[in-house]
Amino acid sequence: MPERLTEMLMDTWTPLIILWITVLPSICMAPMNQSQVLPSGSSTGLKRLTEEQRVLNRSKRGWVWNQMFVLEEFSGPEPILVGRLHTDLDPGSSKIKYILSGDGAGTIFVINDKTGDIHAMKRLDREEKAEYTLTAQAVDRDTNKPLEPPSEFIIKVQDINDNAPEFVDGPYHATVPEMSIVGTFVTKVTATDADDPVYGNSAKLVYSILEGQPYFSIEPHTAIIKTALPNMDREAKEEYFVVIQAKDMGGHMGGLSGTTTVTITLTDVNDNPPKFAQSLYHFSVMEDVALGEPIGRVKANDLDIGENAKSSYDIIEGDGIDIFEITTDAQSQDGIIRVRKPLDFETKKSYTLKVEAANVHIDPRFMSGGPFKDTATVKIVVEDADEPPVFSSPTYLLEVHENAAINSVIGQVTAHDPDVSSSPIR
């Protein structure tokens, strides 16, 4: 029984508690000023409060209108009705006069002082001015006394899609290393649209490639251009001409578009080894050539450019490895063969060398393709020079008696021609 009584009491008091919680904050937060505090039993105070409350309530009601918009670029035979101002004090008679002031009042916007209708008299461009701040006032037509406090409001120019996207920084130039993997960043382009980015899709851009596929791709919303094919070889094609389109309205049909060009150049990487123009070179040299004198040039061609095409030369085998040397011409990248030691035709008439050209700068990514070097054979023939006769001894000692007869033989010197021809000596 006590439990049942408790439940009945709860059912009775719960709605009252909820009502009290709901009403109490409103009562506590109600504004109170001195004019609302009445002396006890004061009929004058009550009358004054009633009058002030009526004015307060009227001010709270005041103007009645919705947010006003006018469509940009609209033109027609008649002025455009933007909207109607109305005060709840207007009983529909002609006693109230509406007055408009502020941005464009009287020139761009004209108000019918009887009905409160506002018309736009000129074609408007949102890109020039997006909104107009005006002030409305209602006065007594006979006395010109204000019936309401002035009220400020805004007329917004509503956007239409009348501006195409533009690439203000185009045309673009970009580079990307050759042989890059798919998805390598190339560059980013940017288009701008003067339409309203907040209202509708007039400034919502989508990017696409009109020319340049299948080599490159573009992110539709970020306009980031990336490589789309692997192993693009600079030595096969160095430059690509890409056309990018930006279309508004989210890329849908009916949107406006603009285009730009991007010239993309593949930069060189060391993906090609040096290669001798021929596998066998022949040179001849006189046996009396001066030491350090060049006797011939070899050339290893490299399809790469710049630092990636530089090669160094070396003699790695041969019977003249200590007789000759090879150096690199920094300008032409030729290998220059020079004599290190004197040559003697009568001792050795020819030499065979094996020379090697190797890249100076190696890219480890391409080492699996093979060694970045090449070899060639060089045959050098020594030619006989016309050498002077050689005495059998550098000095001779001869003796003769003081009383020897004229034309007596006192000794003999000998010389020979070192050349193969053994020319007669006199």
Side-chain angles (χ1 to χ4, degrees), residues 70 74 156 287 311 382:
V70 59
F74 182 83
K156 291 189 175 182
E287 62 176 331
S311 295
V382 181

Side-chain angles (χ1 to χ4, degrees), residues 348-423:
K348 189 170 179 61
K349 297 179 177 59
S350 67
Y351 295 88
T352 300
L353 307 174
K354 188 174 184 179
V355 297
E356 178 185 81
N359 275 159
V360 175
H361 303 285
I362 304 296
D363 192 329
R365 294 178 297 169
F366 304 104
M367 287 299 294
S368 60
F372 278 68
K373 59 181 66 176
D374 193 25
T375 60
T377 301
V378 178
K379 289 188 176 294
I380 301 173
V381 175
V382 181
E383 295 185 359
D384 187 28
D386 187 11
E387 298 175 274
V390 178
F391 282 97
S392 58
S393 175
T395 59
Y396 293 90
L397 179 60
L398 302 178
E399 294 181 352
V400 59
H401 294 287
E402 61 179 333
N403 59 349
I406 294 173
N407 292 329
S408 296
V409 176
I410 61 173
Q412 186 180 10
V413 295
T414 58
H416 70 280
D417 185 356
D419 296 322
V420 175
S421 58
S422 293
S423 300

Side-chain angles (χ1 to χ4, degrees), residues 145-382:
K145 290 183 177 180
L147 302 176
E148 291 278 5
S151 179
E152 187 178 88
F153 67 100
I154 293 175
I155 297 177
K156 291 189 175 182
V157 182
Q158 201 167 24
D159 185 52
I160 65 171
N161 189 22
D162 60 339
N163 291 277
E166 294 183 354
F167 291 89
V168 295
D169 297 326
Y172 296 83
H173 295 270
T175 60
V176 64
E178 63 172 330
M179 311 303 288
S180 294
I181 62 173
V182 172
T184 300
F185 175 86
V186 178
T187 189
K188 183 181 186 298
V189 298
T190 302
T192 58
D193 195 310
D195 292 319
D196 191 346
V198 177
Y199 176 79
N201 292 326
S202 296
K204 185 178 181 180
L205 304 183
V206 172
Y207 297 86
S208 61
I209 289 185
L210 299 184
E211 295 181 29
Q213 295 173 321
Y215 307 102
F216 301 95
S217 64
I218 188 168
E219 294 281 349
H221 302 292
T222 63
I224 294 175
I225 300 173
K226 300 179 179 180
T227 58
L229 276 185
N231 303 323
M232 285 193 288
D233 191 359
R234 183 199 66 85
E235 289 74 39
K237 185 175 181 179
E238 184 176 8
E239 192 172 85
Y240 295 82
F241 188 75
V242 180
V243 179
I244 303 296
Q245 180 191 71
K247 191 173 184 179
D248 61 19
M249 299 299 292
H252 296 301
M253 185 177 295
L256 303 177
S257 63
T259 60
T260 190
T261 60
V262 185
T263 302
I264 301 175
T265 303
L266 299 184
T267 57
D268 188 60
V269 299
N270 190 13
D271 60 335
N272 293 281
K275 186 71 176 176
F276 280 105
Q278 55 196 74
S279 59
L280 180 62
Y281 292 84
H282 290 274
F283 300 108
S284 61
V285 59
M286 299 297 295
E287 62 176 331
D288 60 351
V289 66
L291 298 182
E293 192 73 17
I295 64 170
R297 289 173 174 254
V298 296
K299 176 71 172 180
N301 297 311
D302 195 317
L303 296 177
D304 299 318
I305 57 176
E307 294 293 315
N308 295 323
K310 288 185 176 181
S311 295
S312 62
Y313 294 88
D314 196 14
I315 300 174
I316 58 174
E317 292 180 15
D319 53 4
I321 194 169
D322 59 339
I323 304 297
F324 301 94
E325 65 179 3
I326 187 169
T327 58
T328 304
D329 187 322
Q331 298 298 322
S332 65
Q333 289 296 298
D334 291 346
I336 305 173
I337 300 174
R338 290 183 168 87
V339 178
R340 294 177 60 190
K341 294 182 179 181
L343 302 175
D344 186 6
F345 171 81
E346 288 71 31
T347 303
K348 189 170 179 61
K349 297 179 177 59
S350 67
Y351 295 88
T352 300
L353 307 174
K354 188 174 184 179
V355 297
E356 178 185 81
N359 275 159
V360 175
H361 303 285
I362 304 296
D363 192 329
R365 294 178 297 169
F366 304 104
M367 287 299 294
S368 60
F372 278 68
K373 59 181 66 176
D374 193 25
T375 60
T377 301
V378 178
K379 289 188 176 294
I380 301 173
V381 175
V382 181

